[in-house]
Amino acid sequence: PALTATALSAASIVTSIFIVEIIFGITGVSQVIVMSMSASPDAPAALGFSVYGVLMVVSLMLILDLVQAIIDPRVRHEVLRS
């Protein structure tokens, strides 16, 4: 459970980092999405930002599954059995 909670927290941090960039005025991905949506709606930029967030969460969950299979023998046994 601790490993799962850590991975979910990391996924939350990765996907909400744009809020920190906006609050502290850091130039980053959030500035690109804000500029693209403020002047004229730019759907490809918004879609790219969404895909970026999804890919980060999916990759973190994949890493979680692999690490959990290495650490917990019950999970490893269940995967090999099926």
Side-chain angles (χ1 to χ4, degrees), residues 33-59:
I33 194 70
V34 168
M35 296 299 266
S36 69
M37 295 309 280
S38 64
S40 63
D42 188 9
L47 183 63
F49 189 69
S50 300
V51 169
Y52 165 76
V54 168
L55 287 176
M56 295 310 281
V57 170
V58 168
S59 63

Side-chain angles (χ1 to χ4, degrees), residues 33-81:
I33 194 70
V34 168
M35 296 299 266
S36 69
M37 295 309 280
S38 64
S40 63
D42 188 9
L47 183 63
F49 189 69
S50 300
V51 169
Y52 165 76
V54 168
L55 287 176
M56 295 310 281
V57 170
V58 168
S59 63
L60 281 171
M61 292 301 127
L62 176 66
I63 292 170
L64 166 71
D65 287 343
L66 294 175
V67 169
Q68 198 164 11
I70 291 169
I71 292 175
D72 193 0
R74 294 174 297 175
V75 173
R76 186 178 19 203
H77 178 68
E78 186 68 31
V79 168
L80 292 175
R81 188 172 52 155

